[in-house]
Amino acid sequence: EKPEDHKQRWVQALTDIANIAGEDLRNGPNDAHMVEKIANDVSNKLFHSPKGFGDLVGIEDHIEAIISKLCLEYKEARMVGIWGQSGIGKS
């Protein structure tokens, strides 16, 4: 592959990524509001998805355990770390 072709592929890939729709921070009153909005959007997609996790046997108990540990009823900021051996399904 020629260097110019390689460069053009990178330019196209970065252009495609830049055109993906996202959240505009100017749409909220402050950064904290937008972080909360994004976190809620992600949570709704994970835990209230129409297709859900139905094909993963026994996943419901694990989801409930994680939700209880997150203490979602509190408004303070939270940080979650997930660690473990590679390839065990942390994603």
Side-chain angles (χ1 to χ4, degrees), residues 8-51:
Q8 189 56 40
R9 284 184 38 213
W10 271 104
V11 168
Q12 186 59 52
L14 293 172
T15 301
D16 292 345
I17 290 170
N19 288 327
I20 294 174
E23 291 288 348
D24 186 342
L25 294 178
R26 295 172 293 185
N27 290 338
N30 55 49
D31 289 350
H33 171 81
M34 293 306 292
V35 168
E36 183 174 353
K37 181 179 184 317
I38 292 167
N40 286 333
D41 288 347
V42 170
S43 178
N44 288 336
K45 288 181 172 102
L46 286 175
F47 301 119
H48 302 291
S49 171
K51 60 183 175 179

